[in-house]
Amino acid sequence: MRKLLFSILLMGAFATAAHAQKEFANIELPMNRAEDLVSVADDEGYVVVYYYQSGKLNFAMLSPNGEKLAQHEIPYRYAQDPQVMGTRVTDDEFIFYSRYTTGRREFVRPFAINRHTGAFQSLQDVQLKLPRNVTFVGGFGDEDHFYMLYTDRDHNLHLFRDSDVRVSTMDYKLFKSEQMPRTRDRYARESGMIYVHPDLERNVFTGHHRSKIYSRGDKLYMIFDGYQLRGKSSKETTTEILSLDWDTGQTTYRTLPAIAQRNAPSFNSFLYQDKLFRVNIEKDKFKMAVYDFNTLQPLKEYAYADDEDIALRSTPVRQRGAGGLFSSEYEVIEKQDKVMKNLANGIPAITVDTYSDSTLQLTIGSYKAPSDRDNRNDRSRMVRTPDRYVRTSRGLMVIPGRWTPAYNIPSYYLNSPYYSRYFYDPFGQGSDAPTGPGVSTYFHTVLDAGSLAKVEQQGDVEVLQERVEEYERNLKPEPEFQTVYRYGDKLHYGYYDRKARAFRIVEFAHGQEQPASPEQK
């Protein structure tokens, strides 16, 4: 079953009584083959939902009460998929940014919805004056700016940012990276790099990426974990931090203490506020260390051997997707001798978040991509087209590619060492790229935000992400389209009801009783 992961960012009011949650809105979404679905909300609670389908842009604007204020269906520029890469909210408009290429020329193509009237406006394309021989890395938007990032053969970083004065102008700066050692594989750090928005969904799929970008005002921080460095042994792998200061045009390179990797990769990190969390998971050991991001001094450490219970965890260790390529079943791993082994069977991942209380909620585990099989000559085999990452003002979301026969993909793509890594080809030459449903093994833990000690209390510790997952497990059948997103101090779980052709949203907040799924009512 083809799945599409997307985000609908809405603000709702739900009754807190058990079995009596109130839906914010039932949004009609007649979606069959949507290429993109993006949504963005402003601070007043107005929401714009956008999706691209059959050569047309579809927009709906909702009020803070869930009422539809405007709706548009607009033919789009010779039916060319805009592939929205970032969004921003200005004083007057919701702005959507996309990348457009023609030959060697590249453009940023913005379009907008007026925040007050819902009117659509196609804005002027901005041509980027690219230096020669640069490679596109990614585009992303934060609260104040939209960025386009490129790299060159000397590993310099070319950064474009929309102007403070006009959206239709992109400023440019070159950042040198002489301090940063080269990796053994070319473009290793740049492959799979993602932007981490404060409202990024906290799960092991989003957290397992080993190249992450964070923005803090006019500074960008790129953090890389566990890459093999040229001329150095595997004992010298570490967490690398490259800071880009837009105001000065300068770069700064720092590292955490090295970790000897036996089976790379074995560690990963996540920056949250002023703390950098790093987890190291192997078959015979588990270690989590927390560092002050400004000084890189250690603040707290948890370590366990393979014969010890991971006392750090606040929930059971769960595994999802181990039953098969398209499986999404949950399994609780209870035997101690299997816990560490399963956690180490994939790329380590960690994410951190906080809500209205004084705690930090962590998701820790690993993500393993589907395994490859060898049957390269069958052109009728099923190939999965590339995932696309959509950077909305509420965080990064992935739109998974589609399963299609290999004969629909030109052979020079599948046979190319460069392009083939963007396709998941389980019956062909395959790829190590982490795509597809895969296997997620994880647990949640709750720490005191000040002392970083595990929160202990009588009864179960409340973990919002765990409550969302429990609600999802009770939905039968599993929704075809679903998403979890952050809104203020709450989590919203949204899923598409194909029978009703509507998108339903349920809210989860601290102190709120568990809502019942439709099957439990």
Side-chain angles (χ1 to χ4, degrees), residues 353-357 359 361 464-465 486 488-491 510:
D353 204 355
T354 190
Y355 298 94
S356 57
D357 60 358
T359 64
Q361 298 197 6
L464 287 190
Q465 187 67 38
R486 173 76 179 264
D489 291 329
K490 305 177 180 66
L491 282 178
H510 272 292

Side-chain angles (χ1 to χ4, degrees), residues 246-442:
W246 180 268
D247 290 337
T248 65
Q250 300 299 310
T251 61
T252 305
Y253 179 75
R254 301 182 294 164
T255 61
L256 289 182
I259 293 179
Q261 291 188 129
R262 288 173 293 179
N263 297 306
S266 69
F267 61 91
N268 213 330
S269 68
F270 194 88
L271 175 61
Y272 187 75
Q273 295 178 348
D274 59 348
K275 297 179 179 61
L276 185 58
F277 295 74
R278 183 167 72 169
V279 63
N280 179 204
I281 306 175
E282 298 191 44
K283 293 182 179 180
D284 58 350
K285 67 178 180 181
F286 174 98
K287 180 179 178 181
M288 189 188 76
V290 187
Y291 298 87
D292 182 290
F293 186 64
N294 296 318
T295 65
L296 298 188
Q297 294 299 309
L299 300 176
K300 190 77 172 181
E301 180 178 301
Y302 293 88
Y304 306 95
D306 58 344
D307 58 349
E308 296 180 274
D309 177 52
I310 303 177
L312 175 66
R313 60 188 178 90
S314 302
T315 65
V317 176
R318 298 187 183 276
Q319 190 170 79
R320 184 177 188 181
L325 181 62
F326 297 101
S327 174
S328 60
E329 296 90 353
Y330 286 87
E331 177 185 356
V332 176
I333 302 175
E334 298 178 344
K335 294 184 178 180
Q336 182 58 37
D337 59 343
K338 292 185 176 181
V339 167
M340 203 81 77
K341 180 180 178 180
N342 281 274
L343 285 173
N345 190 22
I347 300 176
I350 179 171
T351 62
V352 187
D353 204 355
T354 190
Y355 298 94
S356 57
D357 60 358
S358 59
T359 64
L360 300 175
Q361 298 197 6
L362 284 65
T363 300
I364 301 173
S366 65
Y367 173 80
K368 182 181 180 181
S371 59
D372 294 340
R373 298 179 183 177
D374 191 12
N375 184 15
R376 304 187 182 185
N377 297 323
D378 180 11
R379 289 290 292 172
S380 66
R381 68 185 185 272
M382 298 303 287
V383 175
R384 193 167 186 273
T385 57
D387 288 353
R388 292 208 309 275
Y389 293 94
V390 177
R391 280 86 178 180
T392 77
S393 68
R394 290 294 176 183
L396 177 139
M397 296 295 168
V398 61
I399 296 181
R402 294 189 180 88
W403 289 97
T404 183
Y407 56 71
N408 285 343
I409 307 296
S411 59
Y412 57 82
Y413 279 114
L414 294 181
N415 296 331
S416 165
Y418 181 80
Y419 288 106
S420 62
R421 62 188 176 137
Y422 293 108
F423 294 88
Y424 174 59
D425 191 359
F427 301 103
Q429 66 183 29
S431 169
D432 291 333
T435 60
V439 179
S440 298
T441 309
Y442 61 94

